[in-house]
Amino acid sequence: MDWVSVSQLKERIGQEVELRGWLDGKRSSGKLHFLQVRDGSGVVQCVMFRGDVDEATFQRADHLAHESSVVVHGSVKADARSPIGVEVSAKGFEVVHESEEYPITPKEHGVAFLMEHRHLWLRSSRQRAILRVRAEIIAAVRSFFDDRGFVLVDAPIFTPAACEGTTTLFETDYFGEKAYLTQSGQLYMEAAAMALGKVYCFGPTFRAEKSKTRRHLTEFWMVEPEVAYFTLTEDMVLAEEFLEYVVSRVLERRRPELALLERNTAALEKVKAPFPRLSHREAVALLLEKGVPADENDDFGAEQETVLAQSFEKPVIVHRYPAVCKAFYMKKDPADPSRALCMDVLAPEGYGEVIGGGQREDSLEALESEIRRHALPMEAFKWYLDLRRYGSVPHAGFGLGIERTVAWICGLPHVRETIPFPRMLEKITP
Ligand code: 4AD
Ligand code: MG
C-alpha cells in the first residue's frame, strides 16, 4: 500500500492508500467516527465504520486526544462536499503516539498564550497558510532576481561596524574584539556589484529595536539587490517591477491560503507598476493639506506613513528625504544637496514601509566627510572606501523586509505571525 500525502489523494480515487499524520479533530456518532487527519500537505476526513476495524481500534479512536500521531489505511472516495474533493474510508488505524491533552483548543486563546506555544501554534490552519505564503514570497523574490541576471551573493553576519545607525547594534564578543550582528548586507553588496554588476543577498539581519511596535522585529529577513551604474530613477523602476511580480505570483499560486486568511485580494490586484511617486517635500505638502503635522526637514513617523499610504490605492514611493535624517552612505541630490537620493516604498492599507533604498555616495571625499559627521569609526570602513578609490561608479539598490511584506500580503496587523519564531524585545523563546 502506497504512502501518499493528503494533497495527492485526488489522483488516487478508488485506490487503497496509507496516510501518515496527526489527528486534527474528530466527531463521532455511535456507529462511526469522522477523523480529520492532517499531514502537512492538507487535512482529509477519514470515516471509520464500527465493523470495518476491530472493536479495540474503534474504541481507541473514540478516546484519542487531538494531535495524536496516526497512520491510516483506507480507500479513497470522491466526495463532493469535501473541500478537497475526497474522503478516506478507514480500514486500518495505527496510533504512533498518543498525545497528551493538547494545550491549544478550538476556543479563543490570548496572543500571549499562543506566542508562548508558538512551536505548537504553527500547526493551526492560519499559521500554516501564512508560512506557505511566506515561502511563496521568498521563492518569488529569488526567481525575480535570478531570472534577470542578478547573482546571489551571501553577506556576512558578523560585521565590524554599523550600516544603519549605531543605536540598534547588537554587540558580540569576537575573540576579544567587538563585533556586531549585521543590520544590512548592503555595504558588502556594493563590493559585489563592482565585481558582478547585478547582485542580491538574502539573509537574516538584526536590529536592537528597543520599542514595541507592530512592525519591528529584532531579527528579520531582508533581500537586498544592488546594481552598478544604476541611479535612483532606475532603482525605483526595479522596486516597482519587483513588488508587482511578487504580489502577482502569490495571487497566482496561493489563492486558497489568502482565502483562508480572509485577505481582500482586490486590493492586491491593484499592485501594478508604475506606482505613484512623491518627493519628500510633496509628501509633506500632502500631509499638511490633510491636517497632519509634518516637517520638510524631518523623517516620517508611523502615523504620517499611514496617512500617505492611505491616500493611494497602490504602493507609493517617497523619494528625496532630508539628508540629515538618513544613513551616511546616501548620495546627495546634486540639484538640492539638502536631500538624499533615497526612496521608501510604503505599502497600501497602512502596512508601512516595505522597501528602503537609493543611490549610494560614490565620491571618496564626500563619503569620508559623512563617516566623520556620523562619528563612525573610519578604520572599520577602510575597505568600503576602497570601492571609491578603484573604479567608483554610480550605483543603487534597496532592501525589502520579508516580514513586513508577508504582513501586508496576508493582511496581518502585526509582524509577529509572519516569521516562524519571532524575535522581539522580551521575546527569545521558543
Ligand atoms: O530601510 P532599511 O533600514 O534599509 C536598509 O537596511 C538598507 N541598507 C537596505 C538597502 O538599501 N540595501 O531597511 C529595509 C527594510 C525596511 O523597509 C523594512 O521592510 C525592513 O527592512 N525592516 C524591518 N523589518 C522588520 N523589523 C525591523 N526592525 C526592520 N527594520 C527594517
Ligand atoms: Mg528605512
Side-chain angles (χ1 to χ4, degrees):
M1 202 177 294
D2 281 352
W3 171 24
V4 295
S5 62
V6 170
S7 61
Q8 297 167 325
L9 286 174
K10 260 184 121 161
E11 298 138 40
R12 299 299 194 119
I13 291 168
Q15 295 178 27
E16 299 285 313
V17 296
E18 177 178 297
L19 288 174
R20 302 179 185 180
W22 292 262
L23 189 62
D24 203 56
K26 70 175 180 340
R27 230 164 13 93
S28 289
S29 72
K31 281 207 215 58
L32 71 175
H33 301 318
F34 299 98
L35 309 166
Q36 308 298 324
V37 175
R38 185 192 79 241
D39 76 345
S41 76
V43 183
V44 67
Q45 174 159 279
C46 299
V47 185
M48 182 190 283
F49 276 96
R50 179 175 237 150
D52 275 358
V53 292
D54 61 75
E55 188 57 23
T57 302
F58 191 79
Q59 290 303 334
R60 193 159 188 212
D62 198 16
H63 297 105
L64 204 56
H66 284 191
E67 293 306 319
S68 292
S69 34
V70 295
V71 173
V72 180
H73 293 156
S75 55
V76 185
K77 303 234 155 73
D79 183 82
R81 291 158 305 173
S82 153
I84 60 164
V86 291
E87 64 173 30
V88 170
S89 313
K91 301 280 157 24
F93 185 74
E94 183 195 323
V95 178
V96 178
H97 175 248
E98 192 162 334
S99 174
E100 294 180 21
E101 199 179 323
Y102 195 59
I104 302 178
T105 58
K107 73 161 198 207
E108 289 271 313
H109 293 286
V111 173
F113 178 87
L114 291 169
M115 287 297 283
E116 271 167 43
H117 293 84
R118 183 68 179 161
H119 50 296
L120 301 177
W121 190 21
L122 294 180
R123 302 183 191 188
S124 76
S125 58
R126 271 181 64 82
Q127 300 306 316
R128 287 180 348 246
I130 294 167
L131 291 186
R132 281 185 193 281
V133 174
R134 178 185 170 101
E136 192 67 52
I137 289 170
I138 292 170
V141 161
R142 301 279 305 259
S143 312
F144 178 86
F145 291 116
D146 292 344
D147 294 350
R148 280 161 187 76
F150 284 69
V151 181
L152 175 71
V153 177
D154 301 311
I157 304 286
F158 285 126
T159 59
C163 175
E164 295 299 329
T166 49
T167 56
T168 61
L169 280 175
F170 273 116
E171 191 180 307
T172 164
D173 172 68
Y174 196 76
F175 306 112
E177 304 260 313
K178 274 186 193 171
Y180 308 96
L181 299 184
T182 185
Q183 295 171 308
S184 159
Q186 179 197 317
L187 308 185
Y188 298 95
M189 289 307 102
E190 292 183 52
M194 302 305 139
L196 293 154
K198 297 196 277 184
V199 297
Y200 74 103
C201 62
F202 174 60
T205 47
F206 306 86
R207 306 229 181 140
E209 307 280 0
K210 289 158 202 106
S211 54
K212 289 190 189 174
T213 80
R214 296 182 291 120
R215 293 179 191 161
H216 290 88
L217 295 160
T218 53
E219 180 179 302
F220 64 98
W221 288 68
M222 183 154 55
V223 58
E224 297 180 86
E226 191 72 29
V227 186
Y229 289 103
F230 253 31
T231 61
L232 176 63
T233 309
E234 290 149 329
D235 201 35
M236 292 197 281
V237 173
L238 182 71
E240 285 170 348
E241 289 176 353
F242 170 59
L243 276 188
E244 174 179 332
Y245 178 88
V246 170
V247 170
S248 66
R249 175 145 155 187
V250 174
L251 284 170
E252 191 185 298
R253 303 199 187 178
R254 293 291 158 206
R255 286 268 172 193
E257 285 78 10
L258 295 176
L260 189 140
L261 295 167
E262 297 174 352
R263 179 65 168 105
N264 166 13
T265 49
L268 295 176
E269 306 277 2
K270 296 187 178 124
V271 182
K272 296 272 183 262
F275 302 156
R277 292 181 194 176
L278 295 147
S279 69
H280 182 272
R281 287 193 207 279
E282 288 166 337
V284 167
L286 181 69
L287 287 169
L288 293 176
E289 212 178 281
K290 298 198 170 219
V292 179
D295 182 343
E296 286 207 345
N297 296 310
D298 207 354
D299 207 351
F300 293 135
E303 197 214 317
Q304 290 156 319
E305 277 184 3
T306 303
V307 174
L308 284 172
Q310 283 171 347
S311 311
F312 303 91
E313 285 194 319
K314 293 184 187 186
V316 55
I317 304 184
V318 182
H319 55 88
R320 293 178 171 81
Y321 282 68
V324 282
C325 53
K326 287 292 175 180
F328 74 96
Y329 54 72
M330 291 189 178
K331 189 172 177 64
K332 305 222 171 44
D333 187 353
D336 176 359
S338 75
R339 309 285 116 180
L341 288 176
C342 65
M343 56 124 184
D344 278 0
V345 183
L346 311 180
E349 306 164 84
Y351 289 98
E353 176 202 329
V354 287
I355 285 181
Q359 192 172 334
R360 322 306 187 185
E361 183 52 73
D362 47 34
S363 135
L364 179 63
E365 293 69 36
L367 198 50
E368 280 174 337
S369 104
E370 278 303 297
I371 291 175
R372 264 183 232 109
R373 189 174 75 77
H374 286 258
L376 293 167
M378 193 65 76
E379 192 53 30
F381 290 100
K382 246 183 104 192
W383 69 271
Y384 182 65
L385 291 167
D386 270 355
L387 306 175
R388 277 71 178 168
R389 288 177 199 274
Y390 306 108
S392 187
V393 297
H395 60 289
F398 60 79
L400 166 113
I402 293 292
E403 290 72 21
R404 290 198 195 165
T405 308
V406 174
W408 164 41
I409 293 180
C410 290
L412 308 172
H414 199 296
V415 289
R416 67 188 156 218
E417 288 181 51
T418 63
I419 183 164
F421 295 98
R423 296 289 173 255
M424 296 174 291
L425 187 71
E426 294 167 14
K427 184 90 202 146
I428 195 164
T429 45

